[in-house]
């Protein structure tokens, strides 16, 4: 892994392969390893850049206002700075997963010229309901005392399909370990940022780049009907449901996600 200093933090990232740059933005409270299978699959034909967002994985939280947390706009600016630091001048394929998707919307808003194509996996365009916002603030206030274990206990049944959970497959332990190694301060900061994130429905019809919207058939966090509505609101979007899996499509059925990404990136990689 590499580490680069940016204006208000440092970011750890994987940078592999050559060709069209593909930026993979992970979800909460996860890190770039949720993309391990996709990094392997894409690195043979493109340049894959997979950072740990600030506070996650090996990236420090950097200078933040603890009361406000980290906004989705801030994570997006970190990504823009990372691309600058890596001298990526070619337009990218931007791939967001869940919270990484919230970040991707903000990147699209601020830096549309840097994006040649967009993939949104298991994410939402709506803001939180009042109840969801209150639940996030409660976690932000308690996680310093409880640690990340209870966050993993509460999130696993929403992240993975019942079948994956019952199977006891290695993916269950991998997702739990990823959550448990995330520090309480990063969890609190991201929860506050997500609670404050705006609804982005008005952005969707303005997205003109080729877009792939995909989600798990049993995604309990960003359900297929909601993701289908996102795809229908984006003029040039394709919608794909991965059968039989929950929210963690990239890990529950890596092959299906790899196939979809490789095909999509090949299609958009021919244009510059
Ligand atoms: C994620 O997977 O990134 C989170 O579940 C998103 C969220 O909490 O809204």
């Amino acid at each position: 892994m590499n580490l680069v200093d940016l204006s208000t933090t440092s970011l750890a990232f994987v940078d592999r392969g050559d060709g069209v740059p593909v930026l993979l933005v992970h979800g909460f409270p996860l890190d770039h390893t949720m993309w391990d299978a996709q990094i392997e699959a894409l690195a043979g034909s493109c340049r894959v850049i997979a950072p740990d967002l600030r506070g996650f994985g090996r990236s420090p939280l950097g200078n933040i206002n603890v009361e406000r947390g980290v906004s989705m706009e801030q994570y997006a600016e970190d990504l823009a700075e990372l691309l600058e630091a890596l001298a990526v001048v070619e337009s990218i394929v931007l791939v967001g997963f869940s919270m990484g998707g919230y970040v991707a919307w903000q990147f699209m808003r601020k830096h549309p010229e840097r994006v040649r194509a967009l993939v949104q996996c298991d994410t939402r365009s709506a803001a939180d309901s009042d109840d969801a916002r209150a639940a996030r603030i409660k976690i932000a206030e308690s996680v310093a005392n409880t640690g990340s274990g209870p966050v993993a206990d509460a999130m696993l049944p929403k992240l993975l399909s019942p079948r994956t959970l019952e199977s006891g497959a290695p993916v269950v332990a991998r997702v739990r370990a990823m959550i448990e190694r995330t520090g309480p301060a990063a969890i609190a900061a991201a929860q506050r940022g997500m609670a404050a994130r705006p609804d982005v429905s008005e952005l969707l019809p303005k997205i003109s780049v080729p877009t792939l919207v995909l989600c798990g058939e049993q995604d309990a966090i960003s359900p297929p009907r909601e993701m289908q509505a996102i795809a229908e609101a984006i003029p040039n979007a394709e919608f794909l449901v991965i059968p039989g899996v929950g929210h963690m499509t990239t890990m529950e059925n890596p092959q299906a996600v790899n196939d979809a990404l490789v095909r999509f990136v090949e299609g958009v990689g021919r244009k510059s």
Side-chain angles (χ1 to χ4, degrees), residues 61 63 86 136 161-162 190 217:
L61 195 47
N63 293 335
L86 298 182
R136 290 197 197 275
S161 74
E217 186 184 24

Side-chain angles (χ1 to χ4, degrees), residues 27-201:
F28 167 90
L30 308 168
D31 60 45
H32 80 279
T33 61
M34 62 155 281
W35 298 112
D36 277 353
Q38 289 71 43
I39 294 169
E40 280 308 317
L42 288 164
S45 56
C46 25
R47 178 178 182 185
V48 191
I49 302 168
D52 287 335
L53 295 171
R54 62 165 73 207
F56 297 93
R58 301 208 175 164
S59 295
L61 195 47
N63 293 335
I64 64 152
N65 176 329
V66 178
E67 287 306 304
R68 260 193 254 144
V70 180
S71 66
M72 301 302 108
E73 292 89 335
Q74 178 64 64
Y75 292 122
E77 278 317 290
D78 293 345
L79 296 177
E81 283 191 29
L82 173 65
L83 295 177
E84 292 286 333
L86 298 182
V88 174
V89 287
E90 222 182 314
S91 58
I92 62 166
V93 180
L94 176 60
V95 185
F97 171 88
S98 201
M99 183 183 85
Y102 310 156
V103 174
W105 297 132
Q106 297 309 319
F107 192 97
M108 288 303 298
R109 205 197 276 288
K110 196 77 190 290
H111 304 285
E113 75 293 344
R114 302 194 77 134
V115 181
R116 81 170 61 201
L118 175 68
V119 183
Q120 285 287 37
C121 311
D122 306 273
T123 194
R124 308 186 63 205
S125 59
D128 280 347
S129 65
D130 289 345
D131 285 353
R133 206 170 287 130
R136 290 197 197 275
I137 300 303
K138 207 164 156 198
I139 293 168
E141 285 169 350
S142 62
V143 68
N145 293 327
T146 64
S148 42
V151 177
D153 293 339
M155 285 197 74
L156 275 173
K158 292 187 222 155
L159 292 173
L160 300 167
S161 74
R163 197 174 67 184
T164 305
L165 279 168
E166 281 154 24
S167 72
V171 64
V172 182
R174 276 185 63 209
V175 176
R176 175 178 284 284
M178 222 187 295
I179 299 174
E180 288 183 346
R181 66 178 178 254
T182 305
I187 290 178
Q191 286 288 29
R192 290 186 193 282
M194 285 192 282
R197 77 186 192 283
D199 179 290
V200 296
S201 321

Side-chain angles (χ1 to χ4, degrees), residues 204-225:
L204 307 183
K206 298 182 200 144
I207 295 176
S208 56
V209 293
T211 300
L212 171 64
V213 174
L214 72 82
C215 73
E217 186 184 24
Q218 295 162 25
D219 188 334
I221 296 174
S222 33
R225 65 180 150 68

